[in-house]
Amino acid sequence: MAPRTPHPALRTLLVVTGDPGGARVLIPAIGELKRRHPRWRFKILAGSNSRRLWSTAGFRPRRWPASRLNRKQCSNILIRTGPDVLVTGTSFENPTESWFRQAAREAAIASFSALDHWCNYRRRYEAGRKLILPDVIGVMDDLARKKMIQAGIPRLLLAVVGHPVLEPVLKRQKVRSRASRQILFLSEPVSWDGKLDPKVVRHPGHNELTVLKSLLSVFVQYPELRRHSLRIRPHPLEPLVRLKKVLREHTPRGLRVTIDGGRSLERDFASSRVVLGITSIALLQGRLMGKPVLSLQPDHARGRIPDDILCFLPRVRSNGCFIEAVSNFVRTRQTKGRSFNIGSRPRLPRNSKRRIANEIEKLIEIGE
């Protein structure tokens, strides 16, 4: 007798996310699958940094029982859940998602993973020195696909699916700058060690802390710019103690500075004259929304923080013209002249959430 095919209502997806980036990319697609297949079961296992995102989106995620799970724990959870497909993000500071992908391969369970950023392509799929790949990886665009292949990821595993976080931004009415005196700095914790230990600082010669010091030096050299206020929006995973220490030691008298990540990103954009940062999806989102955006990452330092999203961002050309470039940008909200590199716009395919949902559906069909 031929094996009985499970009823479609019994299909189960296990979705595992660590950092917020992976959750934000996957949530729209998992929501799309839930609408297509209301009788499917969706089991969400989220780390502390992404659990709230799933809850806000109307799901009921379970939290990892520890800050990180070991290989055996991941295997036990996967076996107990018995999913038809495993779906993961690509957190690279924590191997938990990779251990789930390893467990899925050992159990002959198909798996899908979605890339959410243009950096650390191979590292996202490593646990220790071992490369642990899913059956399909959804990447944002042709640039990400090219970089993944250069990093040694087999091209047959790659599907160009777009970016569900950035795609809606391209469709919105542009948020133009108004006569605000607020300068927004989007911090990106490139100095962390993966454990958020404030005593350990990576890239000590160039990171978000050294860049913030350089930014504050602009206000030191040009006192008239202190009529503006500086609002620092920290990354959700960032230890604030480092930022506060820099501010205590380097903020010039008369400059009003606040640290606050409690408002929506769109609200911070709307209330700001210009947006500054190093590198982040949020910084690119601001540019796509029509905000005056400037990356404070000079070209000669790109190798220190390898991140291909920088090619999409207007940025300071060098440290030698840093103070002049930033002061001119704050005054004029323009990135014209020899002090700047303008950057190109990303070419993202449309219908990204449907593309991701379709790739996951294909894996279920293959397993039938």
Side-chain angles (χ1 to χ4, degrees), residues 6-13 30-43 59 84 361 364:
H7 191 279
L10 300 181
R11 296 303 185 197
T12 299
L13 270 70
I30 299 302
E32 173 76 10
L33 286 172
K34 193 174 182 180
R35 287 188 289 273
R36 293 183 191 180
H37 308 284
R39 299 182 67 186
W40 284 11
R41 294 179 295 202
F42 296 87
K43 305 291 186 179
F59 293 88
D84 295 278
E361 278 185 336
I364 290 183

Side-chain angles (χ1 to χ4, degrees), residues 30-316:
I30 299 302
E32 173 76 10
L33 286 172
K34 193 174 182 180
R35 287 188 289 273
R36 293 183 191 180
H37 308 284
R39 299 182 67 186
W40 284 11
R41 294 179 295 202
F42 296 87
K43 305 291 186 179
I44 314 297
L45 185 62
S48 59
N49 298 319
S50 62
R51 184 173 177 229
R52 183 178 177 183
L53 291 170
W54 287 102
S55 299
T56 303
F59 293 88
R60 299 178 64 183
R62 287 191 301 145
R63 185 173 181 175
W64 293 351
S67 59
R68 67 172 62 188
L69 303 177
N70 60 38
R71 181 176 176 177
K72 184 176 181 179
Q73 288 173 314
C74 295
S75 180
N76 290 340
I77 292 172
L78 185 81
I79 292 171
R80 288 199 306 268
T81 306
D84 295 278
V85 171
L86 169 71
V87 178
T88 71
T90 58
S91 307
F92 57 88
E93 297 288 357
N94 188 314
T96 299
E97 290 167 332
S98 289
W99 291 141
F100 270 100
R101 287 191 288 268
Q102 177 69 28
R105 187 163 295 279
E106 293 171 352
I109 294 172
S111 62
F112 173 88
S113 179
L115 196 66
D116 62 84
H117 199 97
W118 287 264
C119 70
N120 297 304
Y121 303 100
R122 185 181 180 90
R123 185 178 170 192
R124 295 172 183 274
Y125 294 96
E126 290 181 332
R129 295 184 177 181
K130 187 175 183 180
L131 186 63
I132 304 175
L133 298 172
D135 295 282
V136 177
I137 301 173
V139 300
M140 299 81 68
D141 61 357
D142 288 332
L143 174 61
R145 182 175 182 274
K146 175 183 176 182
K147 293 293 184 178
M148 289 284 277
I149 294 171
Q150 291 176 353
I153 309 300
R155 68 178 67 231
L156 292 178
L157 302 187
L158 305 175
V160 176
V161 296
H163 199 297
V165 177
L166 294 175
E167 183 183 354
V169 177
L170 298 172
K171 301 176 182 179
R172 295 181 197 165
Q173 183 178 0
K174 302 301 182 183
V175 179
R176 299 299 178 186
S177 294
R178 58 188 188 185
S180 169
R181 291 190 175 182
Q182 176 176 284
I183 298 167
L184 180 64
F185 176 73
L186 304 178
S187 186
E188 183 76 2
V190 296
S191 68
W192 73 353
D193 70 336
K195 300 177 182 179
L196 299 184
D197 183 351
K199 296 180 181 179
V200 179
V201 178
R202 297 189 309 184
H203 314 298
H206 181 80
N207 55 47
E208 78 280 6
L209 306 178
T210 62
V211 167
L212 179 56
K213 292 176 188 177
S214 297
L215 174 58
L216 293 171
S217 70
V218 176
F219 296 96
V220 172
Q221 185 155 333
Y222 291 95
E224 65 272 20
L225 293 182
R226 297 177 206 171
R227 63 188 180 92
H228 299 290
S229 62
L230 178 62
R231 181 181 181 86
I232 299 175
R233 183 183 178 93
H235 188 279
L237 310 183
E238 186 169 15
L240 300 184
V241 61
R242 299 175 182 175
L243 294 175
K244 291 179 178 178
K245 183 176 185 295
V246 171
L247 293 176
R248 284 196 304 269
E249 296 176 355
H250 298 277
T251 301
R253 182 173 298 180
L255 176 64
R256 186 164 62 89
V257 183
T258 57
I259 303 178
D260 188 359
R263 302 194 310 193
S264 70
L265 185 60
E266 289 77 8
R267 185 179 174 189
D268 269 345
F269 284 157
S271 63
S272 299
R273 175 182 179 82
V274 296
V275 182
L276 306 172
I278 306 175
T279 171
S280 65
I281 290 293
L283 202 60
L284 178 55
Q285 183 175 339
R287 185 185 188 189
L288 297 178
M289 292 175 67
K291 293 296 297 185
V293 165
L294 180 65
S295 168
L296 305 181
Q297 173 86 333
D299 266 7
H300 75 276
R302 284 187 65 184
R304 302 183 194 177
I305 305 176
D307 192 339
D308 292 310
I309 201 174
L310 288 166
C311 71
F312 302 133
L313 298 171
R315 55 193 184 275
V316 175

